[in-house]
Amino acid sequence: MQTPFLIGTNIYLRPLERSDAATAQAWLNDPEVTRTLRRFWPISLRAEEDYIESIQKSEHDLAVVVVLKAEDQPIGLAGLHHIDFKDRHAEFGIGIGVKSEWGKGYGTETTRLMVDYAFATLNLHRVHLQVYAYNPRGQRCYEKVGFRTEGVLREHCYREGRYWDSIVMGILREEWVRQP
């Protein structure tokens, strides 16, 4: 394991490094990967390097690489963004970039690790996210972790020739703590 930050059963999370830029760029330029993300335009290597540099300096964003423990192989990215230390909330985001690893529970494990860190270490009160209506796999993942639907932004995004709803989901610290 290289610089583990949070360690789970099958994966660990480590800081996003400049050396990850080319891997992240490949994932973020893959239309199948970005289909469920807010990103919809291509990214250059330089732009990804600049993003990584800015995120490392940010006091309100935390970005990590999702790594399979057994192979020590990066498979995705996750983060807490727009961390508000006054009102104690943040926005969660995740993308598993290695398509052969989809559907194996790594997204759920990553989400649990990040939500636990948000509540247990950062002392946040709420974590929220948006998931597109055409992403039922993502919705199930977040529901397994304890997120609840809070609202719908009707026809909020345009993809694949039509408008889609964005589902706003959130989890409160007390809901996280009460889970079995």
Side-chain angles (χ1 to χ4, degrees), residues 54-62 82-85:
S54 72
I55 210 89
Q56 289 173 338
K57 294 176 183 175
S58 174
E59 295 180 9
H60 300 280
D61 297 280
L62 168 67
H82 313 291
I83 301 169
D84 183 327
F85 291 104

Side-chain angles (χ1 to χ4, degrees), residues 10 21 25 42 51 55 60 64 79 82 132 138 148 161 164 177-178:
N10 300 301
Q25 177 201 24
Y51 170 78
I55 210 89
H60 300 280
V64 295
H82 313 291
Y132 295 131
R148 296 181 185 179
W164 296 88
V177 170
R178 282 197 315 249

Side-chain angles (χ1 to χ4, degrees), residues 134-151:
Y134 60 76
N135 184 5
R137 189 176 69 230
Q139 292 172 48
R140 280 191 308 277
C141 164
Y142 304 132
E143 288 168 352
K144 280 190 246 179
V145 173
F147 282 83
R148 296 181 185 179
T149 298
E150 297 180 337

Side-chain angles (χ1 to χ4, degrees), residues 2-177:
Q2 301 175 1
T3 62
F5 173 65
L6 299 172
I7 301 171
T9 305
N10 300 301
I11 54 111
Y12 72 92
L13 308 178
R14 65 166 175 78
L16 180 61
E17 301 286 350
R18 184 179 177 96
S19 58
D20 296 311
T23 301
Q25 177 201 24
W27 294 337
L28 296 172
N29 283 332
D30 183 330
E32 284 183 87
V33 173
T34 58
R35 182 177 184 270
T36 60
L37 305 178
R38 290 188 194 170
R39 173 160 220 88
F40 57 88
W41 60 90
I43 187 165
S44 69
L45 181 59
R46 174 60 192 235
E48 184 60 20
E49 290 170 342
D50 290 348
Y51 170 78
I52 291 170
E53 185 176 326
S54 72
I55 210 89
Q56 289 173 338
K57 294 176 183 175
S58 174
E59 295 180 9
H60 300 280
D61 297 280
L62 168 67
V64 295
V65 178
V66 181
V67 183
L68 284 180
K69 282 169 64 174
E71 294 86 6
D72 207 33
Q73 173 197 358
I75 62 166
L77 305 168
L80 293 169
H81 300 285
H82 313 291
I83 301 169
D84 183 327
F85 291 104
K86 177 193 165 290
D87 294 324
R88 297 174 41 215
H89 60 81
E91 183 173 4
F92 176 70
I94 184 171
I96 301 298
V98 177
K99 294 179 278 192
S100 62
E101 301 302 338
W102 289 358
K104 297 182 179 179
Y106 302 132
T108 302
E109 186 174 355
T110 299
T111 303
R112 281 195 176 105
L113 287 171
M114 292 294 283
V115 168
D116 187 62
Y117 179 77
F119 294 136
T121 303
L122 298 181
N123 193 31
L124 297 182
H125 175 69
R126 179 175 179 272
V127 177
H128 58 96
L129 57 87
Q130 287 184 35
V131 59
Y132 295 131
Y134 60 76
N135 184 5
R137 189 176 69 230
Q139 292 172 48
R140 280 191 308 277
C141 164
Y142 304 132
E143 288 168 352
K144 280 190 246 179
V145 173
F147 282 83
R148 296 181 185 179
T149 298
E150 297 180 337
V152 175
L153 302 173
R154 297 177 309 135
E155 297 186 3
H156 189 246
C157 77
Y158 186 79
R159 293 281 172 97
E160 301 167 354
R162 65 170 274 203
Y163 287 96
W164 296 88
D165 294 344
S166 285
I167 300 164
V168 179
M169 301 181 81
I171 184 170
L172 302 176
R173 177 193 194 105
E174 63 195 37
E175 295 165 343
W176 176 255
V177 170

